C-alpha cells in the first residue's frame, strides 16, 4: 500500500512537471515561429521578468494577490464545488475598499487602523457575497457555478454603478474613483517597485490556510467532503456546514486579495472589466494540487508567466494574450486524470505484482 | 411613440438572436445531463473563423463552413479532455473560455499584424438580411418582423428543429435517456460517451450560428471579447427553462429585451448598469423561486 502511494506521489510530480514543460515548450515554439527576432523574444519572455527591479517588482505585485486568491480557491476546489464567486468578489471588495476609504473615513486616520479597517471591509465583502452561492447550493440545491458566474457579472455592473454614483472623479478623463488617501496605502517595501507590505498578509493567509487544512477538524472534513462525499456522509460528517464554510472562507480570502491589491498597487479603483483574478486563483489552486503549502510555488509560477508575457508585450510586437492559451494547456494537462495515467497504473501493477511474488516466496 | 415601440421590438429580436442560438445549444447538452459552460468560447471561435475565412476567400459559404468547423473543433477538444482524459468538465470549459478570449486576439494579431482591440481591420462578408414578401406589407407587424438578418429567421426555425430533434427522433430519445440515467442507458447498449460527444458537437454547431451572427450579421467585423458574456446569459436562459428549447428561447427573448432596453436607457438618466444587471439578477431570483416551488411540491407529494 505504501509503495502504491509513493508511486502515485512521484507520478503526480512528474505529471505537473511534464504539463509545465509541454506548455512552456509549446509557448516558446510559438514565440519563435511568429517573432521576427526569436532570440530576443524568448529571452524577454523567459528572463525578462528578472532583468530589472521594476519588472521583478511587477512579478511580486502579481504574486501577492495570487497568494490570496490561490489559497481561497484551494478551499473551494478542495471541497469539489465549482464556485467561481472569487472573481466577482475580488472586484467588488476592491470597489468597497475604495468607497470606504474615500467616502467614509477621514484621511487623518492612523495608518495601521486604516489598513486593518479596509482589510476587514474586503473580507466582509467577500464573505457576504460569497455566502450567497454557497447557501443556495447547499440549502436549495441550485448549481453554484451558474449562480456564481451570474453574480460575477452582476457585481461587475454594480461596482461600475457605485463608482459612477458615489465616487466618480471628474478631474480625470477615464472612469475611476477618487484617489485613495495616503494613509490607506500599503507601504512599499522596495522603492521604485511594486513590492508592498501586502506580501505579509499573503504569507499569513497561506500559513493559516495550511493550518486549517491539515490541523483542524474543519479542514479534514472539507477535504473528505470534496474527495469522497459518500464516505463523508457515511462517517457522519456535517457536510452542509463544512461545504458552506469552505466556499465562504474561499470568497473571504478572495475579498482580502482584492482589498490588498487596491491598497498595494493602485492609486484609485479603476477596474471596468472582470479582472480574471478569480480564474487565475483557480489556476493556482490547480497548479498546487489543492494543497495550500504549494500555493506560493503555483502563484509564483503564474506571476512569472504573466509578467514574462507583459514584458514581451511591451518590448516586442507579440500580444500578451498568448499566455492565456498556455494557461489552458497547463490546466487541461494537470487536471486530466488520464494524462500519463496509463504509466502510473502499469507501475503500480508491477510493484504490487513483485510484492505478491515475494509474499508467496516467504510463505 | 408607436414608431419608438416598433423600433424597440425590432431591436429586441435583433439582439436576442445570438441568445436564442446559445440557449438552444445549451439545451442539447443539458438534456444529455451536462452543463455547457463553453458556449462563449464556441461562439468566439466561430465568429473569428467566419470573419477570417470569408474575408480571405471572399466566399460566404467557405466562411460559414470554417465557422462551424472552428466551433465543432472546440467542442471536440472539450469532449476529449473531459470524457476520455477524465478532466473535470467545468474546469475544461472555463480553461477553454479563457484560452479563447486570449487566443482569438492572438490569431487576429497573426492575421493582421495589429494588436487589434478595436477591429474592422479585416473586411468580412456579411450574411444579408431578408424582407419577407407578404408580411412586409402588414403595417406594424411587418416593420417588426421583416427585414432581419437571415440567421435570425434560422434561429426561430431552430427552436422548432431542436425541439423536434429532442422529442421526436431516435437521437433525441437517446440523448434524453443518457441525461436521465447514463447507467441505465448503457445497460441497453447506448454508449454515454458517444452521446456526450454527439450532444457537444450539435451544441457547437448551433452555437457557431450564434457566433457568426455576431460577427457577420449583427456587426461585420471581429472585436476582442465580442461575446461579452452572451454565452453565459444564454446558458442561464437555458437554466431557467431547465433545458426545454421553447421556454429557453422565450427566456432568451426576455433577456434580449433587457439588453435592448439598456441600449435605449443609455441615452436617458436611468443608470444603464442597473439594467445590464437585470438578466443576471433575474436568473438567480428565478432559480431560487423554482427551487422553492420544487420543495413545496415535494413536500406535498410526501404528505398523502
Amino acid at each position: 500500500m505504501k509503495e502504491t502511494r509513493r508511486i502515485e506521489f512521484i507520478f503526480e510530480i512528474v505529471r505537473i512537471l511534464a504539463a509545465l514543460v509541454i506548455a512552456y515548450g509549446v509557448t516558446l515554439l510559438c514565440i519563435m515561429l511568429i517573432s521576427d527576432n526569436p532570440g530576443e523574444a524568448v529571452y524577454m519572455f523567459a528572463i525578462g521578468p528578472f532583468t530589472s527591479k521594476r519588472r521583478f517588482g511587477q512579478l511580486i505585485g502579481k504574486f501577492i494577490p495570487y497568494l490570496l486568491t490561490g489559497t481561497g480557491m484551494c478551499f473551494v476546489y478542495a471541497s469539489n464545488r465549482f464556485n467561481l464567486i472569487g472573481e466577482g468578489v475580488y472586484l467588488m471588495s476592491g470597489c468597497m475598499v475604495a468607497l470606504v476609504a474615500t467616502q467614509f473615513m477621514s484621511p487623518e486616520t492612523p495608518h495601521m487602523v486604516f489598513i486593518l479597517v479596509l482589510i476587514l471591509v474586503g473580507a466582509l465583502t467577500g464573505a457576504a457575497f460569497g455566502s450567497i452561492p454557497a447557501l443556495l447550493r447547499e440549502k436549495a440545491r441550485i448549481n453554484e457555478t451558474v449562480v456564481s458566474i451570474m453574480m460575477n457579472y452582476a457585481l461587475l455592473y454594480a461596482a461600475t454603478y457605485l463608482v459612477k454614483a458615489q465616487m466618480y472623479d471628474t478631474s480625470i478623463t477615464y472612469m475611476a474613483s477618487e484617489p485613495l488617501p495616503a494613509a490607506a496605502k500599503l507601504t512599499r517595501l522596495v522603492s521604485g517597485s511594486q513590492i508592498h507590505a501586502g506580501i505579509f498578509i499573503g504569507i499569513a493567509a497561506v500559513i493559516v490556510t495550511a493550518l486549517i487544512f491539515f490541523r483542524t477538524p474543519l479542514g479534514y472534513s472539507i477535504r473528505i467532503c470534496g474527495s469522497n462525499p459518500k464516505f463523508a456522509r457515511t462517517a457522519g460528517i456535517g457536510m452542509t456546514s463544512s461545504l458552506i464554510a469552505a466556499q465562504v472562507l474561499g470568497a473571504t480570502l478572495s475579498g482580502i486579495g482584492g482589498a490588498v491589491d487596491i491598497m498595494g498597487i493602485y492609486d484609485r479603483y479603476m477596474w471596468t472589466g472582470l479582472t480574471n483574478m478569480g480564474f487565475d486563483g483557480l489556476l493556482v489552486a490547480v497548479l498546487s494540487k489543492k494543497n495550500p503549502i504549494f500555493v506560493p510555488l503555483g502563484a509564483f509560477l503564474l506571476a512569472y508567466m504573466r509578467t514574462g508575457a507583459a514584458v514581451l508585450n511591451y518590448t516586442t510586437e507579440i500580444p500578451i494574450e498568448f499566455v492565456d492559451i498556455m494557461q489552458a494547456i497547463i490546466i487541461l494537462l494537470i487536471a486530466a486524470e488520464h494524462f500519463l495515467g496509463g504509466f502510473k497504473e502499469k507501475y503500480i501493477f508491477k510493484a504490487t505484482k513483485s510484492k505478491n511474488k515475494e509474499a508467496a516466496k516467504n510463505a | 411613440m408607436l414608431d419608438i415601440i416598433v423600433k424597440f421590438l425590432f431591436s429586441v429580436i435583433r439582439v436576442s438572436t445570438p441568445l436564442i442560438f446559445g440557449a438552444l445549444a445549451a439545451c442539447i447538452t443539458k438534456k444529455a445531463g451536462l452543463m455547457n459552460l463553453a458556449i462563449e468560447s464556441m461562439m468566439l471561435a466561430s465568429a473569428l473563423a467566419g470573419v477570417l475565412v470569408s474575408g480571405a476567400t471572399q466566399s460566404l459559404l467557405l466562411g460559414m463552413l470554417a465557422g462551424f468547423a472552428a466551433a465543432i473543433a472546440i467542442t471536440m477538444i472539450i469532449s476529449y479532455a473531459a470524457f476520455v482524459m477524465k478532466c473535470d468538465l467545468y474546469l475544461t470549459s472555463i480553461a477553454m473560455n479563457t484560452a479563447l478570449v486570449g487566443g482569438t486576439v492572438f490569431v487576429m494579431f497573426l492575421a493582421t499584424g495589429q494588436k487589434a482591440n478595436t477591429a474592422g481591420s479585416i473586411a468580412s462578408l456579411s450574411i444579408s438580411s431578408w424582407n419577407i414578401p407578404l408580411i412586409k406589407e402588414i403595417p406594424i407587424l411587418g416593420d417588426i418582423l421583416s427585414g432581419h438578418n437571415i440567421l435570425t429567421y434560422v434561429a426561430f426555425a431552430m427552436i422548432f428543429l431542436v425541439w423536434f430533434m429532442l422529442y421526436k427522433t431516435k437521437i433525441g430519445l437517446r440523448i434524453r435517456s443518457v441525461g436521465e440515467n447514463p447507467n441505465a442507458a448503457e445497460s441497453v447498449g447506448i454508449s454515454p460517451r458517444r452521446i456526450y460527444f454527439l450532444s457537444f458537437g450539435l451544441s457547437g454547431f448551433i452555437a457557431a450560428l450564434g457566433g457568426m451572427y455576431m460577427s457577420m450579421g449583427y456587426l461585420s467585423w471581429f472585436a476582442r471579447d465580442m461575446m461579452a458574456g452572451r454565452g453565459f446569459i444564454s446558458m442561464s436562459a437555458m437554466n431557467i427553462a431547465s433545458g426545454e428549447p421553447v421556454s429557453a428561447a422565450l427566456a432568451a427573448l426576455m433577456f434580449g429585451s433587457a439588453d435592448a432596453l439598456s441600449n435605449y436607457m443609455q441615452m436617458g438618466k436611468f443608470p444603464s448598469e442597473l439594467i445590464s444587471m437585470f438578466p443576471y439578477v433575474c436568473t438567480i431570483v428565478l432559480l431560487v423561486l423554482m427551487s422553492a416551488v420544487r420543495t413545496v411540491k415535494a413536500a406535498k407529494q410526501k404528505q398523502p
Side-chain angles (χ1 to χ4, degrees):
Chain A
M1 202 49 217
K2 238 181 191 166
E3 181 71 11
T4 314
R5 198 172 277 176
R6 198 179 63 88
I7 293 178
E8 272 180 354
F9 181 73
I10 292 174
F11 259 95
E12 216 43 62
I13 291 178
V14 170
R15 258 160 45 100
I16 293 180
L17 286 181
L20 289 177
V21 167
I22 291 176
Y24 206 75
V26 169
T27 313
L28 289 187
L29 198 73
C30 285
I31 295 176
M32 278 192 252
L33 284 180
I34 59 171
S35 175
D36 303 327
N37 189 350
E40 194 211 334
V42 168
Y43 174 81
M44 277 303 163
F45 180 63
I47 317 287
F50 303 107
T51 46
S52 76
K53 193 168 78 176
R54 203 172 62 87
R55 285 177 186 167
F56 188 69
Q58 239 179 338
L59 193 159
I60 298 297
K62 288 195 172 71
F63 171 69
I64 294 166
Y66 284 157
L67 281 180
L68 287 155
T69 52
T71 44
M73 273 301 177
C74 263
F75 272 114
V76 181
Y77 189 41
S79 67
N80 208 11
R81 290 279 184 259
F82 263 89
N83 187 337
L84 298 171
I85 192 69
E87 182 69 47
V89 149
Y90 189 87
L91 182 134
M92 195 59 189
S93 85
C95 176
M96 291 309 270
V97 162
L99 185 69
V100 171
T102 56
Q103 307 296 320
F104 298 116
M105 307 250 310
S106 114
E108 275 87 52
T109 320
H111 179 61
M112 281 314 280
V113 179
F114 213 144
I115 297 290
L116 282 177
V117 168
L118 291 186
I119 289 178
L120 196 67
V121 167
L124 286 179
T125 314
F129 288 109
S131 59
I132 297 175
L135 285 173
L136 289 182
R137 174 67 179 89
E138 307 309 332
K139 296 285 185 195
R141 310 234 150 271
I142 302 174
N143 187 308
E144 76 285 5
T145 316
V146 176
V147 174
S148 58
I149 289 178
M150 295 301 115
M151 278 187 67
N152 285 344
Y153 282 97
L155 287 176
L156 167 65
Y157 289 118
T160 315
Y161 170 70
L162 272 179
V163 173
K164 273 192 185 163
Q166 298 289 330
M167 45 182 173
Y168 194 41
D169 188 349
T170 43
S171 64
I172 45 174
T173 50
Y174 54 95
M175 201 210 69
S177 75
E178 289 155 21
L180 298 182
K185 284 186 196 160
L186 288 165
T187 327
R188 292 277 158 106
L189 297 182
V190 182
S191 62
S193 79
Q194 291 187 341
I195 304 176
H196 58 81
I199 195 162
F200 301 120
I201 303 170
I203 293 170
V206 171
I207 295 172
V208 170
T209 309
L211 286 178
I212 293 180
F213 252 57
F214 299 114
R215 290 284 179 272
T216 66
L218 174 69
Y220 181 71
S221 62
I222 288 174
R223 283 183 293 140
I224 294 295
C225 290
S227 58
N228 197 341
K230 281 178 188 158
F231 173 76
R233 201 168 297 132
T234 327
I237 291 174
M239 284 186 68
T240 313
S241 56
S242 6
L243 288 173
I244 291 179
Q247 295 172 58
V248 173
L249 279 172
T252 310
L253 282 168
S254 279
I256 298 178
V260 166
D261 204 16
I262 283 283
M263 291 189 287
I265 292 180
Y266 295 87
D267 296 326
R268 41 179 106 224
Y269 175 84
M270 52 167 99
W271 294 323
T272 49
L274 288 176
T275 52
N276 229 16
M277 287 306 258
F279 296 133
D280 283 348
L282 180 64
L283 179 63
V284 171
V286 170
L287 276 174
S288 50
K289 279 276 161 190
K290 312 176 196 178
N291 187 339
I293 295 171
F294 295 131
V295 162
L297 275 179
F300 190 84
L301 202 70
L302 188 61
Y304 160 69
M305 266 163 41
R306 291 242 166 224
T307 317
V311 171
L312 198 58
N313 189 38
Y314 58 66
T315 51
T316 67
E317 75 283 15
I318 300 171
I320 193 167
E321 279 80 9
F322 72 93
V323 88
D324 291 335
I325 309 172
M326 181 172 170
Q327 240 176 307
I329 299 177
I330 295 178
I331 290 191
L332 289 188
L333 290 182
I334 293 184
E337 259 172 54
H338 284 200
F339 171 60
L340 296 181
F343 285 108
K344 184 173 86 178
E345 275 151 26
K346 219 191 290 171
Y347 270 93
I348 292 177
F349 179 70
K350 249 190 208 163
T352 343
K353 209 164 128 191
S354 64
K355 216 178 196 180
N356 286 349
K357 250 186 207 164
E358 263 173 43
K361 243 184 227 168
N362 293 342
Chain B
M1 192 61 204
L2 191 68
D3 194 39
I4 296 176
I5 294 176
V6 167
K7 262 191 193 159
F8 174 71
L9 288 176
F10 184 87
S11 72
V12 165
I13 294 179
R14 203 169 94 95
V15 296
S16 301
T17 304
L19 301 181
I20 293 176
F21 278 126
L24 292 175
C27 280
I28 295 180
T29 55
K30 174 71 176 178
K31 282 291 168 194
L34 303 169
M35 181 79 75
N36 188 348
L37 291 178
I39 293 176
E40 187 99 359
S41 56
M42 297 172 192
M43 285 187 166
L44 264 179
S46 63
L48 177 65
V51 167
L52 282 183
V53 174
S54 78
T57 60
Q58 292 299 313
S59 150
L60 197 58
L61 182 72
L62 282 179
M64 291 196 71
L65 283 178
F68 288 128
I72 291 174
I74 299 285
T75 64
M76 286 304 120
I77 296 173
I78 291 174
S79 308
Y80 184 77
F83 310 127
V84 179
M85 298 290 275
K86 301 280 172 208
C87 187
D88 190 286
L89 177 63
Y90 287 178
L91 195 58
T92 317
S93 313
I94 292 164
M96 205 45 100
N97 286 339
T98 353
L100 259 287
V101 171
T104 44
V105 176
F106 188 59
V107 172
M108 276 294 275
F109 164 74
L110 290 186
T112 61
Q114 297 171 5
K115 294 182 187 177
N117 283 345
T118 47
S121 41
I122 300 178
S124 152
L125 300 184
S126 43
I127 299 158
S128 50
S129 37
W130 184 41
N131 290 317
I132 316 174
L134 276 173
I135 294 179
K136 192 180 67 179
E137 309 298 331
I138 309 172
I140 295 167
L141 208 60
D143 290 335
I144 299 172
L145 293 182
S146 175
H148 285 284
N149 192 285
I150 291 176
L151 283 182
T152 303
Y153 302 113
V154 174
F156 282 94
M158 200 54 97
I159 302 172
F160 171 73
L161 285 178
V162 169
W163 173 83
F164 186 82
M165 196 272 295
L166 282 174
Y167 290 100
K168 300 290 170 198
T169 64
K170 206 162 97 184
I171 298 269
L173 182 66
R174 289 191 172 173
I175 288 179
R176 282 183 297 130
S177 65
V178 168
E180 287 283 327
N181 189 339
N183 294 332
E186 198 165 13
S187 73
V188 293
I190 303 170
S191 155
R193 188 193 279 180
R194 198 177 289 167
I195 294 293
Y196 291 155
F197 267 86
L198 179 76
S199 64
F200 256 88
L202 285 171
S203 154
F205 176 79
I206 296 176
L209 286 167
M212 284 185 283
Y213 172 78
M214 284 303 292
S215 67
M216 296 160 77
Y218 190 81
L219 304 172
S220 58
W221 61 81
F222 181 86
R224 175 203 167 85
D225 200 13
M226 71 185 299
M227 292 310 144
R230 282 189 178 79
F232 289 121
I233 294 189
S234 45
M235 184 195 73
S236 56
M238 175 283 289
N239 242 293
I240 289 175
S242 50
E244 298 304 323
V246 179
S247 17
L250 287 177
L253 272 173
M254 182 178 81
F255 290 160
S257 1
D259 198 7
L261 199 61
S262 80
N263 284 344
Y264 271 76
M265 287 294 179
Q266 260 158 15
M267 303 162 214
K269 271 188 182 161
F270 195 81
S272 63
E273 285 84 16
L274 296 186
I275 298 179
S276 304
M277 271 172 77
F278 169 75
Y280 305 107
V281 176
C282 174
T283 308
I284 298 173
V285 172
L286 279 177
L287 285 176
V288 172
L289 282 180
M290 277 161 52
S291 156
V293 168
R294 235 180 5 238
T295 341
V296 171
K297 259 188 193 165
K300 261 186 191 164
Q301 271 175 355
K302 260 184 198 169
Q303 268 170 2

